[in-house]
Amino acid sequence: MYNENCFQLGSNRSCIRELFEYGCRRAAEVGRENVYDYSLGNPSVPAPDGVNEAIRAILSDTDSVAVHGYTSAVGDLATRQAIADDLNARYDAGVKPENLFITCGAAPGLTAVFRALATENAELLAVAPFFPEYRPFAEGAGLKFKVVPADVPAFQIKLDALEAMMTPNTAAIILNSPNNPSGVVYTRETLEKLADLLSRKSAQYGHPIYLVADEPYRELTYGGVEVPFLPTIYPNSIVCYSYSKSLSLPGERIGYVYVPQNAADSKALYAAIAGSSRISGHVCAPSLLQKVIARCANLRPDLEAYDRNRRMLYNALTSYGYEMAKPDGAFYLFIKAPGGDSEAFSEKAKLKDLLVVPGTDFGCKEYFRICYCVKPEMIEKSLPVFKALIEE
Ligand code: PLP
């Protein structure tokens, strides 16, 4: 006997993984240089030197037992203090260590927050396009998952549609900016209007509606675009952050949840998140990585390589006639499929060894996603294939 829902989730692999593994099989057949794989969002720039230097210094300077031992479940105080200092220096946000819970990345932070918010009949609204794992995370936590249709073609937020979908059971909205898959950064104007709407609806329903800010791409922006810090616009924001992309450490599993001091029920919510993590077997985030973050919380990624790829693809693809929102952040482009069916387009592209992810699971089946953390030579070689596909 086993849980049918878990079985289904474990058996039906994500379309992104399927494509990636198809790409590996094709590479073995035709050579890696002949497969144009834009499927997976794995950072392609190395972690900043400071991270590796910190690891070496910690291993040589610190007692080995202390480095590798358990930490407190909420995380080392020095780590939380370093993160609070960094956030306060940038946003004047009044963050204190006791508002931070150190996690094994954004994903476990999100599942912990979702379960903490899962009262009876509670609903979570996601704005399309959205990271597909939100659905299993939310449903697994016991929340009803509802999707607000995309604001095409700018991919900001359709506030009237969002308002129409809210009910007294709306517990939270999940937002991701810079966005995977669109690369769009929500503007301050959009976020201020959203905050007004949520404040009005919270008053109407008589309970807070939280904004869950999923922020693995906060530091990945181009051209000086602003990523407003949501708690300074809407205090009932819960931030789920990760160093997977900002310090190129996705396999190391480190991030945090921030519950602002002035959020409604802040202390109780923080305790519920700790309790929720406990249910999922969280003991502590990796101790070595916590010590790295204590030294490196203020390091930023070198974005030059991503920015070059972004400009090369955006300029070439738009010149061929592809349509997409302006990608100001993260490392994705979300492109309108010629013909309007991204699954058919992805299949057609696959025949030419070009791997692009259909937008269906992101809540936009007319669009496909490409991830540009790839080698520039691969982009150059793939451009004629993109051109041929739109001309067909
Ligand atoms: N949220 C979004 C939007 C993502 O794109 C990802 C990873 O790609 C995650 C969350 C999960 O990140 P982490 O590696 O920190 O668990």
Side-chain angles (χ1 to χ4, degrees):
M1 295 281 278
Y2 48 82
N3 179 285
E4 180 59 27
N5 186 34
C6 295
F7 169 74
Q8 289 300 339
L9 276 172
S11 312
N12 302 327
R13 292 179 345 154
S14 90
C15 152
I16 300 173
R17 280 270 154 199
E18 290 282 358
L19 264 177
F20 174 71
E21 275 160 32
Y22 172 81
C24 295
R25 288 199 301 278
R26 275 303 281 166
E29 287 164 21
V30 300
R32 173 57 66 196
E33 68 285 3
N34 297 314
V35 180
Y36 315 121
D37 184 355
Y38 288 99
S39 61
L40 207 62
N42 215 355
S44 57
V45 302
D49 288 344
V51 168
N52 292 326
E53 282 158 18
I55 292 174
R56 280 191 285 271
I58 293 163
L59 291 177
S60 63
D61 302 350
T62 319
D63 165 43
S64 176
V65 172
V67 173
H68 300 301
Y70 291 125
T71 73
S72 96
V74 300
D76 272 343
L77 178 59
T79 309
R80 290 178 290 125
Q81 186 66 60
I83 295 168
D85 291 346
D86 178 53
L87 289 172
N88 292 335
R90 289 194 285 164
Y91 307 113
D92 192 18
V95 182
K96 299 207 171 101
E98 57 267 34
N99 313 133
L100 293 162
F101 187 95
I102 309 298
T103 61
C104 302
L110 289 165
T111 54
V113 170
F114 290 170
R115 200 187 291 104
L117 295 175
T119 53
E120 205 181 341
N121 299 323
E123 298 176 347
L124 176 77
L125 289 172
V127 177
F130 60 89
F131 180 53
E133 294 299 287
Y134 293 160
R135 188 185 292 277
F137 290 175
E139 291 176 349
L143 290 168
K144 184 169 177 198
F145 186 73
K146 292 165 73 174
V147 177
V148 181
D151 172 36
V152 177
F155 292 117
Q156 291 288 316
I157 303 173
K158 262 190 179 167
L159 291 170
D160 48 353
L162 171 62
E163 180 166 2
M165 290 180 72
M166 293 176 85
T167 74
N169 290 326
T170 304
I173 319 287
I174 169 95
L175 274 199
N176 166 226
S177 176
N179 185 264
N180 172 9
S182 72
V184 161
V185 176
Y186 296 132
T187 63
R188 177 171 284 278
E189 187 190 352
T190 299
L191 296 173
E192 283 176 351
K193 285 187 183 153
L194 174 67
D196 286 346
L197 170 62
L198 297 188
S199 301
R200 184 159 54 76
K201 291 305 237 185
S202 299
Q204 181 186 336
Y205 297 143
H207 63 80
I209 298 171
Y210 292 99
L211 199 51
V212 182
D214 176 26
E215 301 206 325
Y217 304 99
R218 156 167 292 281
E219 266 63 69
L220 275 64
T221 58
Y222 312 99
V225 70
E226 182 197 16
V227 183
F229 190 57
L230 273 168
T232 59
I233 295 180
Y234 185 68
N236 289 339
S237 297
I238 307 167
V239 177
C240 297
Y241 186 85
S242 163
Y243 294 94
S244 291
K245 320 285 169 159
S246 61
L247 294 183
S248 293
L249 296 171
E252 305 296 356
R253 314 309 303 148
I254 188 85
Y256 62 81
V257 174
Y258 166 51
V259 183
Q261 189 104 337
N262 56 344
D265 303 321
S266 175
K267 279 208 166 115
L269 189 57
Y270 183 96
I273 291 165
S276 162
S277 297
R278 195 173 157 194
I279 291 174
S280 68
H282 169 89
V283 175
C284 62
S287 169
L288 172 62
L289 268 291
Q290 290 193 49
K291 289 163 181 57
V292 170
I293 298 305
R295 298 178 184 219
C296 300
N298 59 356
L299 287 188
R300 303 287 169 256
D302 178 0
L303 299 177
E304 175 55 34
Y306 294 148
D307 195 18
R308 219 176 321 117
N309 288 354
R310 176 185 77 108
R311 282 183 279 121
M312 182 168 24
L313 276 162
Y314 181 77
N315 293 341
L317 297 185
T318 49
S319 80
Y320 306 154
Y322 285 97
E323 293 169 37
M324 69 205 79
K326 195 163 156 274
D328 285 325
F331 38 49
Y332 307 100
L333 296 178
F334 204 45
I335 305 166
K336 191 161 185 198
D341 178 345
S342 65
E343 297 200 16
F345 182 82
S346 171
E347 285 302 317
K348 244 167 79 178
K350 223 167 138 183
L351 298 175
K352 298 181 191 292
D353 288 318
L354 172 65
L355 307 184
V356 303
V357 182
T360 317
D361 290 348
F362 298 97
C364 287
K365 66 178 182 350
E366 302 81 14
Y367 283 71
F368 64 91
R369 186 191 81 169
I370 65 175
C371 169
Y372 56 81
C373 17
V374 295
K375 293 208 166 73
E377 304 83 61
M378 186 193 102
I379 298 180
E380 271 162 35
K381 279 187 75 182
S382 73
L383 289 178
V385 180
F386 278 107
K387 191 160 189 282
L389 281 166
I390 198 168
E391 283 169 0
E392 265 172 24

